[in-house]
C-alpha cells in the first residue's frame, strides 16, 4: 500500500534549495543579482509550502509517519548504508520551522546585502545551508545524520567567514570550525559505538534493540583487560549517549564548546539569524530529542546533559549583561536559551525542549533581523552606546523588537512564556522528586536565568531605542551622560557593508537614522506574529495532547517520535496537575517566582537605563572585578586560544623539531652521510695503478695463507 506522503514531495523538499544554491553559485554572473535571489527564494519557498503540506497530512489528516529508504548508498562487508527519510511529527515541525525562517531570511537578505559584491555567493550559501539542515532533520539513519551534521558545519564556516578579507571574520570561522571538530570527534565515536553495539545505523532498528542493551558494559563488546580494565565496566548506553551529546555540545554551543558562537557575529546579520534561530545551533537539541530512546537508558548521561545545560543557561546569560555590540547581546541570549533547552533534555522533558526550540526560532530570528535593521538604519553602527532614541526614527523595527523582547523574557501570553515556563516547571519537578544536587542546581540555574534574561533584554531595548540620541555625538565620551561608558576592546563593533573587509570605520559626524526598506521590515512583521501568538495556540497540542483550549483530549503531538519511560515523563506530570489551558496557565504565572524575577530584571534595567542612567556607570565601577570577569568571558577564549590552539601549535613545533633533527637529521640525512663516508673511504682504495692492485693481492694472499696454516695447527 502506497504511503499517503509521496516520496517525490519529500525529495522535492530537500532538492529545491539545493537546486537554487547550485544555480546561484555556478551561474550567478549569468542570471545576475535578481536571478540569484529569485531562484533561491523560489527553491526555499517550495520547500516551505511542501513542508507545511506534509505537516498538515500528519496532523490534520492523521497520516502515519513516513520511514523508508530511497536508495542504497553503499554495501561493504555486509553493512548497507542507505539514504532515506523518517518524517514524523518531530521532523515535520522542524522542516516547517527551518524552511519558514530560512525563507524570511532570504527575503530580508535582498535589502541587507543589496550593495555587497558577494551577493550571488551569499544566496548560494544560505540556500545550501537550508538543504543541509533538511538532510539532517529528515534522515532516518545515523550516517545520513552525520552527513547533514557536517554539511551545516561546512556551510557555517563559509558563511561566518563570508567577508574573507576581514581578519576577524577569518579568525571567527576557523574558531567555529576547530571547536566543532572537537565536538564532532565525540559525535563520531558515539555513532561508531552505536554501530558496534546494535549492528546497524538505522534509527528504527537501533531503537527497537535498545531494551536488549540494558545493563550491558563496554567489556561485553571488547576484549577487556590490562591497564584500562576499569573502563570496561562502564555502561554502553552511558558512553554512547555522552559521546553523542559531546557532538551536540559543539553544534548547540554548550559550555565549554560555546566559544565559537559569539564570534560568529563576524558574518553578515542574516547569517546570525539563520545559524542562531533555526538551523545549526538547534541541530544538537533535535538530535538528543530524536535519540531519546537511547538517553532514557542512562540516568548518568541525562545528569551530564542537565549539568552542562544549566551551566550554559545561567553563566553565558551573565556575559550578555556587559556586552555593547547589539548582535553579541542577542548571541549570548541564544547561548542562554540553548542552555534552557538542554536542561529540558536533561530532565526528560524532550517535548518542552523541542517546543522551546520552535518558539525560540521565531522570536530569536526576529531579534537578530531587528538588530540588522538597526545596523542598516544606523549606517552600519553596532555599538549600542552610539544609539539611543531610535524609536521615533524606526517605529516598525522598534515595535517588532518589543514583541521579540517580550517573547524572549517569557512574558505571560507571549510564545516564549509557554515554552520557557514549561522548562522551569519541569526542572522544579525533577528537583522535588529526585533530591540530587544536580537536579537542584539545574532548577536554580533556569530560575535565576529569568532575571538575567530580562535584564539584558530590556537593557538592549532601552540603550537602542530609548533615552538620549547619542548617535549625534561625534564620539563616545566617558562622562555621566553616556550609558555604560566602559569599552570592551575585544569587541568588533563595525560590520562592513562591502566585501572589502575594511569596514566603515568610525563615524566622525552625526548620523540620521532611517527605517529599513520593506524587504527588511516585512520579514520582521511576519516573524513578530508567531513570536506573539504561536505558543498560545500550540502549547496544548504539542505538550499535553489537547486542543489549544486545553479541554479536548487528543493525543500527544510527539507520540512515537519521542520515547519516554513513564516515571520520567515530567511534562505528563505537569499536564495532569497544572494544565488547564493557555489562559489559566498565563494567569497562574503572575504568582510564580519566575515572573517576579523577570519583573525584577525589567525594573532594574528600567531604572538604570531610563530614569537613572548614571547608575550604570556607578555599578560598573562598584563591581569592576565581576565585570572584568564577564568581559573576559570567564577566560574560555584564552583557554581555547592559548591552551587548545596554542597547545596544538606547540605540539606542531615540537613535531617539526623532532622531524628535522631526529627523522631528517639522524635517519635520513644521517644514513646518507654514512653512505657518503663509506663511499669516500672506498674511493681511496681505487687508485687505478696496477702495482697497487698487485700489492693488495699479495697482502691478501699472505693473510689467507696465515689463516689456513693457523687452522691446521
Amino acid at each position: 500500500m502506497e504511503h499517503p506522503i509521496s516520496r517525490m514531495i519529500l525529495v522535492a523538499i530537500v532538492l529545491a534549495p539545493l537546486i537554487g544554491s547550485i544555480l546561484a553559485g555556478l551561474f550567478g554572473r549569468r542570471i545576475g543579482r535578481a536571478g540569484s535571489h529569485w531562484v533561491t527564494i523560489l527553491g526555499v519557498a517550495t520547500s516551505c509550502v511542501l513542508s507545511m503540506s506534509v505537516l498538515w497530512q500528519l496532523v490534520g489528516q492523521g497520516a502515519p509517519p513516513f520511514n523508508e529508504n530511497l536508495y542504497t548508498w553503499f554495501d561493504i562487508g555486509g553493512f548497507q548504508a542507505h539514504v532515506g527519510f523518517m518524517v514524523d511529527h518531530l521532523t515535520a515541525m522542524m522542516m516547517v520551522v527551518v524552511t519558514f525562517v530560512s525563507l524570511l531570511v532570504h527575503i530580508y537578505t535582498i535589502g541587507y546585502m543589496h550593495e555587497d559584491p558577494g551577493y550571488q555567493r551569499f544566496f548560494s550559501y544560505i540556500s545550501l545551508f537550508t538543504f543541509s539542515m533538511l538532510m539532517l532533520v529528515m534522515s532516518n539513519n545515523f550516517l545520513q545524520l552525520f552527513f547533514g551534521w557536517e554539511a551545516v558545519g561546512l556551510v557555517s564556516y563559509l558563511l561566518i567567514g563570508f567577508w574573507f578579507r576581514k581578519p576577524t571574520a577569518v579568525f571567527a570561522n576557523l574558531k567555529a570550525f576547530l571547536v566543532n571538530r572537537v565536538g564532532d570527534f565525540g559525535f563520531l565515536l558515539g555513532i561508531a559505538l552505536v554501530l558496534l553495539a546494535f549492528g546497524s545505523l538505522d534509527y528504527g532498528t537501533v531503537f527497537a534493540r535498545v531494551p536488549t542493551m540494558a545493563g550491558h558494559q563496554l567489556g561485553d563488546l571488547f576484549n577487556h583487560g590490562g591497564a584500562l580494565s576499569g573502563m570496561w565496566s562502564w555502561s554502553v548506553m552511558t558512553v554512547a549517549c555522552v559521546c553523542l551529546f559531546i557532538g551536540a555540545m559543539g553544534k548547540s554551543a554548550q559550555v565549554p564548546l560555546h566559544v565559537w558562537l559569539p564570534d560568529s557575529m563576524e558574518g553578515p546579520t542574516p547569517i546570525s539569524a539563520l545559524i542562531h534561530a533555526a538551523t545549526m545551533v538547534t541541530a544538537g537539541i533535535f538530535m538528543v530529542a530524536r535519540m531519546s530512546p537511547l538517553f532514557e537508558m542512562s540516568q548518568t548521561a541525562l545528569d551530564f546533559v542537565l549539568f552542562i545545560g544549566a551551566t550554559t543557561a545561567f553563566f553565558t546569560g551573565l556575559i550578555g549583561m556587559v556586552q555593547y555590540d547589539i548582535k553579541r547581546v542577542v548571541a549570548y541570549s541564544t547561548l542562554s536559551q540553548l542552555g534552557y533547552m538542554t536542561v529540558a533534555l536533561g530532565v526528560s522533558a524532550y517535548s518542552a525542549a523541542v517546543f522551546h526550540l520552535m518558539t525560540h526560532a521565531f522570536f530569536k530570528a526576529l531579534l537578530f533581523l531587528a538588530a540588522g535593521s538597526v545596523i542598516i538604519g544606523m549606517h552600519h553602527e553596532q555599538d549600542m552606546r552610539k544609539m539611543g532614541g531610535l524609536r521615533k526614527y524606526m517605529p516598525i523595527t522598534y515595535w517588532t523588537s518589543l514583541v521579540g523582547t517580550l517573547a524572549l523574557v517569557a512574558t505571560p501570553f507571549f510564545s516564549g512564556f509557554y515554552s520557557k515556563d514549561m522548562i522551569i516547571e519541569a526542572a522544579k519537578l525533577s528537583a522535588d522528586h529526585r533530591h540530587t544536587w544536580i537536579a537542584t542546581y539545574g532548577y536554580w540555574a533556569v530560575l535565576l536565568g529569568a532575571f538575567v534574561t530580562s535584564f539584558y533584554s530590556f537593557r538592549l531595548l532601552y540603550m537602542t531605542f530609548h533615552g538620549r540620541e547619542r548617535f549625534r555625538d561625534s564620539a563616545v565620551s566617558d562622562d555621566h551622560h553616556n550609558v555604560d561608558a566602559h569599552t570592551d576592546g575585544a569587541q568588533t563593533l563595525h560590520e562592513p557593508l562591502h566585501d572589502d573587509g575594511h569596514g566603515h570605520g568610525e563615524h566622525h559626524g552625526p548620523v540620521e537614522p532611517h527605517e529599513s526598506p520593506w524587504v527588511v521590515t516585512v520579514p520582521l512583521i511576519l516573524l513578530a506574529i508567531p513570536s506573539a501568538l504561536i505558543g498560545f495556540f500550540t502549547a496544548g497540542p504539542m505538550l499535553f495532547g489537547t486542543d489549544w483550549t486545553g479541554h479536548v483530549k487528543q493525543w500527544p503531538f510527539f507520540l512515537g517520535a519521542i520515547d519516554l519511560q513513564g516515571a520520567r515523563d515530567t511534562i505528563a506530570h505537569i499536564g495532569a496537575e497544572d494544565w488547564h489551558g493557555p489562559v489559566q496557565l498565563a494567569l497562574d504565572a503572575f504568582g510564580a517566582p519566575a515572573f517576579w524575577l523577570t519583573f525584577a530584571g525589567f525594573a532594574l534595567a528600567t531604572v538604570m537605563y531610563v530614569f537613572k542612567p548614571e547608575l550604570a556607570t556607578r555599578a560598573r565601577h562598584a563591581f569592576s572585578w565581576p565585570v572584568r570577569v564577564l568581559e573576559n568571558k570567564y577566560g574560555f577564549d584564552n583557554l581555547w586560544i592559548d591552551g587548545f590552539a596554542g597547545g596544538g601549535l606547540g605540539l606542531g613545533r615540537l613535531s617539526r623539531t623532532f622531524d628535522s633533527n631526529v627523522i631528517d637529521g639522524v635517519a635520513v640525512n644521517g644514513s646518507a652521510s654514512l653512505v657518503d663516508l663509506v663511499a669516500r673511504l672506498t674511493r681511496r682504495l681505487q687508485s687505478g695503478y696496477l702495482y697497487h692492485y698487485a700489492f693488495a693481492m699479495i697482502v691478501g694472499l699472505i693473510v689467507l695463507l696465515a689463516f689456513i696454516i693457523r687452522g691446521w695447527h
Side-chain angles (χ1 to χ4, degrees):
M1 181 177 178
E2 187 176 354
H3 198 280
I5 301 176
S6 171
R7 286 188 175 193
M8 296 306 299
I9 290 179
L10 298 179
V11 172
I13 290 173
V14 170
L15 294 185
L18 178 62
I19 293 171
S21 174
I22 293 173
L23 292 176
L26 298 182
F27 307 102
R29 291 188 178 182
R30 293 187 179 183
I31 62 179
R33 287 171 167 254
S36 295
H37 70 236
W38 276 117
V39 294
T40 52
I41 289 175
L42 287 175
V44 176
T46 301
S47 290
C48 184
V49 172
L50 294 178
S51 296
M52 290 179 177
S53 70
V54 169
L55 180 61
W56 170 249
Q57 285 181 281
L58 290 169
V59 177
Q61 299 180 352
F66 181 97
N67 184 12
E68 295 181 13
N69 295 323
L70 300 185
Y71 67 91
T72 301
W73 193 351
F74 59 81
D75 188 346
I76 299 177
F79 172 74
Q80 290 186 337
H82 303 282
V83 173
F85 297 137
M86 174 186 280
V87 181
D88 51 21
H89 289 74
L90 175 61
T91 302
M93 183 274 293
M94 288 294 299
M95 290 161 58
V96 172
V97 170
V98 168
T99 54
F100 180 74
V101 174
S102 179
L103 175 61
L104 296 184
V105 169
H106 275 69
I107 297 172
Y108 177 95
T109 301
I110 297 174
Y112 193 88
M113 300 290 290
H114 71 282
E115 295 182 12
D116 198 288
Y119 191 84
Q120 293 96 319
R121 177 166 57 95
F122 189 82
F123 273 98
S124 176
Y125 286 171
I126 59 176
S127 192
L128 184 61
F129 207 161
T130 307
F131 159 76
S132 302
M133 191 64 187
L134 288 171
M135 286 294 291
L136 189 155
V137 300
M138 294 174 66
S139 63
N140 70 346
N141 61 83
F142 284 88
L143 196 60
Q144 187 176 332
L145 170 72
F146 189 71
F147 166 78
W149 193 271
E150 292 302 302
V152 294
L154 170 63
V155 184
S156 69
Y157 167 84
L158 298 173
L159 288 169
I160 295 170
F162 180 78
W163 286 312
F164 52 84
R165 294 188 180 91
K166 184 181 177 186
T168 52
V170 174
F171 176 82
N173 72 351
L174 286 174
K175 189 176 184 181
F177 189 82
L178 292 175
V179 172
N180 274 277
R181 295 292 72 71
V182 176
D184 291 352
F185 178 70
F187 188 58
L188 192 58
L189 288 178
I191 293 176
L193 187 55
V194 167
L195 176 61
L196 182 64
F198 297 98
S200 174
L201 292 179
D202 179 76
Y203 289 165
T205 303
V206 171
F207 296 161
R209 296 176 182 174
V210 162
T212 65
M213 292 303 298
H216 280 64
Q217 301 174 346
L218 289 180
D220 299 327
L221 303 179
F222 300 95
N223 294 323
H224 56 284
L228 299 178
S229 58
M231 184 184 73
W232 305 120
S233 62
W234 295 352
S235 166
V236 171
M237 299 308 302
T238 296
V239 176
C241 290
V242 169
C243 288
L244 291 173
F245 181 68
I246 290 174
M249 288 170 62
K251 279 290 182 290
S252 293
Q254 298 295 292
V255 173
L257 303 182
H258 69 288
V259 294
W260 67 269
L261 195 61
D263 286 345
S264 69
M265 298 300 98
E266 294 295 335
T269 298
I271 294 315
S272 303
L274 200 58
I275 291 178
H276 288 234
T279 51
M280 182 171 173
V281 296
T282 61
I285 307 300
F286 166 81
M287 184 272 293
V288 176
R290 173 60 76 198
M291 304 303 153
S292 58
L294 277 68
F295 280 83
E296 283 300 296
M297 299 298 292
S298 173
Q299 184 60 54
T300 302
L302 289 175
D303 285 341
F304 178 68
V305 172
L306 175 59
F307 177 78
I308 294 296
T311 303
T312 305
F314 182 70
F315 289 100
T316 59
L318 292 175
I319 301 177
M321 298 170 63
V322 300
Q323 298 295 308
Y324 293 110
D325 186 318
I326 187 172
K327 287 172 61 178
R328 286 180 183 265
V329 176
V330 187
Y332 280 104
S333 168
T334 298
L335 285 173
S336 181
Q337 297 307 304
L338 288 168
Y340 273 85
M341 300 176 206
T342 305
V343 167
L345 298 173
V347 297
S348 297
Y350 301 97
S351 57
V354 177
F355 185 48
H356 193 51
L357 183 158
M358 181 195 70
T359 61
H360 175 266
F362 295 114
F363 63 72
K364 188 51 61 69
L366 170 61
L367 289 172
F368 268 114
L369 297 186
S373 178
V374 169
I375 294 170
I376 294 173
M378 287 294 297
H379 305 279
H380 291 263
E381 178 61 72
Q382 295 181 217
D383 191 343
M384 295 188 300
R385 293 166 296 178
K386 300 181 181 180
M387 298 178 187
L390 297 181
R391 178 176 52 174
K392 68 179 182 180
Y393 299 97
M394 310 180 70
I396 298 177
T397 302
Y398 170 70
W399 287 109
T400 53
S401 296
L402 179 61
V403 171
T405 299
L406 293 175
L408 172 60
V409 303
T411 306
F413 294 102
F414 283 80
S415 63
F417 159 75
Y418 293 99
S419 56
K420 191 173 178 181
D421 186 72
M422 282 300 109
I423 294 176
I424 296 175
E425 288 299 317
K428 182 178 185 299
L429 184 65
S430 177
D432 291 342
H433 285 183
R434 295 187 56 211
H435 302 290
T436 62
W437 72 267
I438 290 181
T440 304
Y441 170 69
Y443 169 63
W444 281 102
V446 294
L447 182 63
L448 295 177
F451 169 83
V452 175
T453 303
S454 180
F455 179 81
Y456 66 64
S457 298
F458 283 103
R459 173 179 178 264
L460 181 151
L461 192 73
Y462 291 144
M463 290 187 70
T464 305
F465 295 102
H466 292 261
R468 190 171 58 85
E469 297 178 356
R470 295 182 300 278
F471 55 82
R472 299 194 181 280
D473 300 338
S474 58
V476 176
S477 62
D478 197 23
D479 59 22
H480 69 278
H481 295 293
N482 285 290
V483 180
D484 282 10
H486 187 82
T487 302
D488 180 5
Q491 296 184 26
T492 302
L493 299 175
H494 302 284
E495 179 177 84
L497 176 64
H498 298 291
D499 202 13
D500 55 9
H502 299 298
H504 290 276
E506 295 289 338
H507 297 297
H508 298 288
V511 298
E512 192 66 26
H514 58 83
E515 186 61 276
S516 300
W518 71 267
V519 289
V520 172
T521 55
V522 168
L524 296 181
I525 296 171
L526 293 178
L527 285 169
I529 295 172
S531 296
L533 301 177
I534 197 169
F536 183 90
F537 292 103
T538 59
M542 293 187 69
L543 296 177
F544 307 113
T546 69
D547 67 0
W548 67 272
T549 65
H551 295 100
V552 181
K553 290 292 181 181
Q554 299 172 338
W555 35 264
F557 184 85
F558 296 114
L559 182 65
I562 294 176
D563 184 30
L564 283 175
Q565 296 181 5
R568 290 181 178 172
D569 196 346
T570 52
I571 296 300
H573 288 294
I574 294 172
E577 297 177 4
D578 301 325
W579 177 251
H580 304 289
V583 175
Q584 189 61 46
L585 184 67
L587 293 176
D588 292 342
F590 287 103
F595 172 78
W596 290 106
L597 284 170
T598 300
F599 182 81
F602 158 75
L604 181 61
T606 303
V607 171
M608 293 181 65
Y609 294 95
V610 177
F611 298 111
K612 297 285 186 180
E614 66 275 7
L615 289 179
T617 303
R618 293 179 185 176
R620 296 191 74 92
H621 291 308
F623 300 99
S624 58
W625 182 79
V627 168
R628 283 197 299 270
V629 172
L630 294 177
E631 288 177 341
N632 196 39
K633 305 156 191 170
Y634 308 112
F636 276 109
D637 278 351
N638 296 332
L639 174 66
W640 280 99
I641 296 172
D642 299 332
F644 180 74
L649 289 174
L651 183 62
R653 294 190 186 100
L654 179 63
S655 176
R656 183 179 62 185
T657 301
F658 180 81
D659 180 71
S660 59
N661 294 333
V662 178
I663 302 300
D664 288 343
V666 176
V668 179
N669 297 333
S671 60
S673 300
L674 179 62
V675 171
D676 183 63
L677 176 62
V678 173
R680 286 200 303 268
L681 294 175
T682 305
R683 188 169 60 246
R684 294 180 181 275
L685 299 177
Q686 303 294 327
S687 63
Y689 294 108
L690 182 61
Y691 61 87
H692 285 171
Y693 299 143
F695 177 75
M697 292 172 63
I698 294 172
V699 171
L701 180 61
I702 293 172
V703 171
L704 179 62
L705 290 174
F707 273 106
I708 294 173
I709 294 171
R710 185 173 181 177
W712 285 343
H713 294 287

